[in-house]
Amino acid sequence: MIARLVLWALKARAGLAAVVITANLSGLAVIVMQLWLSGFLSRLGPDWLRALALVGIYPTVGFLLGVGLAIRDRTVYFGWLDSGRKPTGVEARRLLRLPIAITLRALALWFPGVIIATILFAQLTPENNPAVTASLFTLGALESAAVTLLIVDRLIRPTIPVVAGVLGATMHWSSSVLARVVVTWAVAGALPMLILIVVLADPAAAAPDRIRAAIYLSVVGLGVGALATSFLARAVAAPMRTLRRALDQIAHGDLTVRVPVGSTSEIGRLENSANELAANLRERQRMRDVFGRHVGAEVAERALRGGVDLTGDVRVVTALFIDVTGSVELSSGLTPQEFVAKLNRLLSTVIAATEENRGLVNKFEGDAALCVFGAPIALRDNATAALRAARRIRDEVLTTGELDIGIGVAHGQVFAGDVGSELRSEYTVIGDAVNEAARLTTAAKQVPHRILVSGAVIDAAAAEERAAWLRYDTLVLRGMTEPTECWTDLDGHAAAPDDKPGSTTNGPSTGDNPVIEIRTAAAENE
């Protein structure tokens, strides 16, 4: 009911004038009640009607002036609403000042009336105390001003979401929770007590009038206090309940929550902060997703939590390098879209096998990929994880039959961390293990099972994993001064392509083999 009345007053041309009329009538009612309780009216004598007419001249003029100004204010403060558009920044800030502006103007119109009424009643009823008369009318003026502030503040509340959309997080002191609490207390608690004090302090008031005033004001104070406290509690509890529900949803992962900003008080700032929190978390989630695509979901999650040091250190890792055989010839026979589709299917397999074994796909280099096990997330047995990933990648790629690949795996110390500048950096691994894995990949393209791993990997792997591998050969890899003992798996995929013509490898070996220098065309062009 109240919400519908507020919306009507907000949209109607005479809505603001109706608010001013209501506030002034409340002040007049307080004055009349005080005059009746104190017995003031009975002391006016037989000429009381003329006295009230004289005293009522200024209030009537002030009332009409206030209504006229309120009608003008409707255009000044709500012109943008009548035009069906958003307010400008100036209009939005002006609207926030409306409650205090109209309240101060109400006081400015009331206080000359208080002075005039006090002077007139002092002339018409000499037995009445001028201080008491002035107090009675002053309390009526304060009541009218306080009611004006509360009602106008409630009136503009439906426009606050639009204002917040223009100004962002904003707050005006006249609409703060403290201001509302103080004004509500003044209307519901302080005012009845002040009226009682004035009536009891009136030396002209008779004993029955004082008793009647005490009883009446006590009842009114209790009733009005309970009603005002209820409205105030609901005004605070309702948005807080909405905030609690929104924060619960955010805590459970629903980042699409948006809380309507309903005031320019501290609660309104909290509502805006909840919306900013959801937006920041959505952005953080988006960054996590983007980051995860580059460094892996687990690495991204731990890095964003601050659980991984990406500045750089020396680690013992296992590097897995994979490269496509004959990619130049393959790409020349396919459209770019078809070739990229094949590569994406290959790289999807690489990513799945690597991440399921807790490795990091560190980078893509055209049709090649470097995977690291043991950095930045330390693994107790990174060699075994890398060997399992290598076999899975080889088996799945050869099953599809789309591409021919080579996989090299090496183990050793590397620098793992950020490389670059303050403007841009990249997490990478640098060291002999990475270089050795790349060289093994070139040699693996000529091996039936398409995988070559260094002896250091086998030595570091678990016993059950070592049993799945066979010593293949001892090779001098390009750029390496020492020969590398190479191993391949026992049960390579049966569908592995035939060896390429011109291969210099001698196949699996069970005994000592001479050192063979691998110098394939691919190695020379690398």
Side-chain angles (χ1 to χ4, degrees), residues 317-319 381-384 386-387 408-412 436 440 452-462 465-466 469 485 487:
V317 305
T318 302
D381 186 2
N382 55 64
T384 299
L387 292 175
V409 186
H411 182 80
E436 188 176 35
L440 287 169
L452 280 181
V453 305
S454 68
V457 180
I458 302 298
D459 292 340
E465 182 62 29
R466 287 200 301 269
W469 295 83
E485 186 181 82
W487 294 64

Side-chain angles (χ1 to χ4, degrees), residues 73-360:
D73 288 341
R74 168 70 201 189
T75 303
V76 173
Y77 289 93
F78 295 101
W80 59 270
L81 183 62
D82 297 334
S83 302
R85 61 177 175 82
K86 288 185 177 181
T88 64
V90 173
E91 290 172 330
R93 281 186 285 271
R94 182 192 301 147
L95 181 64
L96 296 181
R97 296 193 296 267
L98 178 61
I100 193 64
I102 291 188
T103 301
L104 292 176
R105 191 176 66 202
L107 288 173
L109 289 173
W110 266 95
F111 278 121
V114 171
I115 297 172
I116 292 172
T118 301
I119 294 173
L120 288 176
F121 275 123
Q123 298 295 323
L124 297 173
T125 56
E127 67 274 16
N128 288 313
N129 190 313
V132 173
T133 305
S135 299
L136 294 176
F137 281 89
T138 299
L139 291 176
L142 294 175
E143 166 70 14
S144 175
V147 171
T148 299
L149 179 64
L150 293 175
I151 295 180
V152 176
D153 178 71
R154 181 65 180 87
L155 175 68
I156 68 171
R157 207 171 298 169
T159 67
I160 296 304
V162 180
V163 171
V166 174
L167 300 179
T170 186
M171 181 176 172
H172 195 269
W173 66 268
S174 64
S175 298
S176 66
V177 173
L178 177 61
R180 291 182 193 175
V181 170
V182 170
V183 174
T184 302
W185 167 80
V187 172
L191 191 66
M193 294 299 100
L194 288 173
I195 294 174
L196 180 58
I197 291 171
V198 170
V199 172
L200 295 179
D202 186 359
D209 293 331
R210 297 182 181 184
I211 295 173
R212 178 178 58 190
I215 296 174
Y216 184 85
L217 290 173
S218 297
V219 173
V220 169
L222 289 173
V224 173
L227 187 63
T229 302
S230 174
F231 281 135
L232 181 63
R234 288 182 60 187
V236 174
M240 293 302 291
R241 185 163 50 247
T242 302
L243 272 172
R244 179 186 60 78
R245 291 172 179 170
L247 291 174
D248 285 345
Q249 289 178 267
I250 293 173
H252 288 88
D254 182 4
L255 303 182
T256 61
V257 174
R258 181 163 183 83
V259 182
V261 180
S263 73
T264 54
S265 66
E266 296 88 344
I267 295 176
R269 293 299 297 270
L270 281 174
E271 292 166 338
N272 187 80
S273 296
N275 292 333
E276 289 183 349
L277 173 64
N280 290 336
L281 289 175
R282 284 196 302 270
E283 179 64 16
R284 181 182 175 87
Q285 183 63 50
R286 188 185 71 83
M287 293 300 295
R288 180 185 290 112
D289 293 341
V290 172
F291 189 30
R293 292 178 186 177
H294 290 274
V295 301
E298 185 176 358
V299 175
E301 179 66 29
R302 292 186 61 178
L304 290 171
R305 290 201 311 263
V308 177
D309 182 9
L310 299 181
T311 57
D313 55 9
V314 176
R315 296 278 188 95
V316 176
V317 305
T318 302
L320 183 154
F321 201 88
I322 179 171
D323 192 16
V324 176
T325 301
S327 58
V328 175
E329 294 84 353
L330 182 63
S331 63
S332 63
L334 299 172
T335 65
Q337 293 85 350
E338 291 173 332
F339 183 61
V340 169
K342 285 179 178 289
L343 282 181
N344 285 340
R345 286 190 287 272
L346 166 65
L347 297 176
S348 295
T349 298
V350 173
I351 292 170
T354 301
E355 291 190 349
E356 288 181 15
N357 285 281
R358 301 195 66 192
L360 164 67

Side-chain angles (χ1 to χ4, degrees), residues 4 24 54 59-60 89 100 103 112 132 156 175 198 258 336 402 411 417 423 466 480 482 488-489 504:
R4 287 197 294 269
N24 281 297
L54 288 173
T60 303
I100 193 64
T103 301
V132 173
I156 68 171
S175 298
V198 170
R258 181 163 183 83
E402 286 191 323
H411 182 80
L423 297 178
R466 287 200 301 269
M480 302 291 178
E482 296 294 330
T488 191
D489 66 318
T504 58

